[in-house]
Amino acid sequence: MTAEDAEPPDRAQKLSVLVSAASQHGATAEIAEAIGHALAGQGLTVTVIPPGDVRSLDGYDAVIIGSAVYMGHWLDPAKDFVNRFRTALAGRPVWLFSSGPVGDPSGKLAQAMDQDPVDLPGLLEATRARDHRRFAGKLDRKVLSLPQRASLLVFRGLNGDFRDWADIRQWAEGIAQQLALAPW
């Protein structure tokens, strides 16, 4: 068998993806881990680390950046990541995700929170992201401060895990498919 006869290696196995998400209480980090797991299941080499721990984008073919959304904004570590690596991000495919709305999706308060982050237009411009996805979040009263827990007495129905793991996995698998088909 000659080199010409050999099957080319699976392209996905050559691609390395960085998944980085800013998380206040860990729920958004869990989404990043699930995205990483789904990508790895598609044959990609994946690194999942918080934005503040990223020193370089060298060696990564694609980047997925996410953040919890509080008061309509991404967390500072995720925005700082985009600012630090703006030039490097321009040279590779990028996807963004936000985690935020909590509560029963049919509830008025959850519907009011179900909006894109205020920062999104600037983040899309800075990263030239191919897509942004907003995922429902998780609110665990045990990790909240006393004033935050007290506010849950007023805003009932927000406590709980509202993340749709199948939707998160499907989005990540779609990214893997795009990467496998993209010309390099």
Side-chain angles (χ1 to χ4, degrees), residues 11-183:
R11 204 170 131 204
Q13 292 179 351
K14 292 181 178 180
L15 298 176
S16 180
V17 180
L18 171 65
V19 181
S20 188
S23 187
Q24 188 75 32
H25 298 292
T28 306
E30 291 172 352
I31 293 173
E33 288 290 340
I35 290 168
H37 184 73
L39 293 170
Q42 297 294 310
L44 297 165
T45 301
V46 181
T47 303
V48 180
I49 53 177
D53 293 347
V54 178
R55 300 293 170 241
S56 170
L57 297 186
D58 292 343
Y60 296 111
D61 299 301
V63 180
I64 300 172
I65 311 160
S67 180
V69 176
Y70 284 88
M71 304 301 288
H73 294 274
W74 265 26
L75 296 175
D76 286 341
K79 292 188 290 188
D80 292 344
F81 176 99
V82 169
N83 289 330
R84 281 188 297 136
F85 296 113
R86 177 185 293 257
T87 302
L89 290 168
R92 50 187 47 84
V94 174
W95 287 264
L96 306 176
F97 73 92
S98 300
S99 170
V102 293
D104 177 357
S106 65
K108 289 181 183 177
L109 190 54
Q111 289 176 0
M113 287 188 288
D114 193 18
Q115 298 179 26
D116 283 334
V118 174
D119 318 294
L120 186 59
L123 294 165
L124 289 169
E125 182 180 334
T127 63
R128 299 181 186 153
R130 295 179 177 205
D131 186 30
H132 169 261
R133 180 65 66 90
R134 191 174 58 243
F135 298 113
K138 173 184 171 185
L139 185 61
D140 182 356
R141 64 179 291 113
K142 292 180 283 193
V143 300
L144 300 177
S145 67
L146 184 59
Q148 290 170 325
R149 284 194 308 266
S151 69
L152 289 180
L153 297 173
V154 175
F155 301 109
R156 296 189 181 278
L158 299 182
N159 189 53
D161 189 346
F162 303 93
R163 297 170 293 181
D164 182 340
W165 296 110
D167 185 40
I168 292 165
R169 185 174 46 258
Q170 183 179 30
W171 184 69
E173 290 171 354
I175 291 171
Q177 290 171 357
Q178 290 178 54
L179 287 170
L181 297 173

Side-chain angles (χ1 to χ4, degrees), residues 1-11 14:
M1 179 183 256
T2 66
E4 289 92 22
D5 297 329
E7 286 288 319
D10 183 5
R11 204 170 131 204
K14 292 181 178 180

